[in-house]
Amino acid sequence: MNFVSFSQLHQDIAEFAKKMPQIDGILGIPRSGLMVASLLALQVNKRIGYLDENYKPVFLKGGDRDIGLVEKVLILDDSLDSGKTLEGARRYFDRNQWAE
């Protein structure tokens, strides 16, 4: 596992944002993925949300950018152990023709 400073994290997010594909929103995997997802969503001015315990996406509301349809999302986590959560999210999205 690699540890970086908060300053380095911001720099990495800014660099990633430059080459990120076009998306409608960002979902952070609780708990650790929410911080990275929040910082990236702020950087690119996109909606932010999280996956609930059943892997269902929940988007936060709070402003003009939080209105409208979300079809294409980026799911983020900042650490990975077994990959179970990401696999559960993949299964959820494969089973459901989802759009908020």
Side-chain angles (χ1 to χ4, degrees), residues 4-70:
V4 298
S5 68
F6 200 65
S7 176
Q8 183 63 52
L9 176 62
H10 276 283
Q11 290 174 21
D12 292 345
I13 288 170
E15 285 300 313
F16 179 75
K18 293 176 187 174
K19 49 191 168 188
M20 193 172 79
Q22 184 61 37
I23 58 169
D24 302 314
I26 298 172
L27 294 168
I29 294 182
R31 298 172 313 189
S32 58
L34 286 172
M35 183 183 74
V36 175
S38 296
L39 293 171
L40 182 59
L42 285 170
Q43 181 78 30
V44 296
N45 197 31
K46 296 294 180 185
R47 293 183 69 180
I48 179 71
Y50 62 92
L51 297 176
D52 73 7
E53 63 276 357
N54 297 312
Y55 309 107
K56 183 178 179 181
V58 178
F59 278 93
L60 306 178
K61 309 260 188 233
D64 290 343
R65 82 174 141 236
D66 297 338
I67 299 170
L69 192 62
V70 176

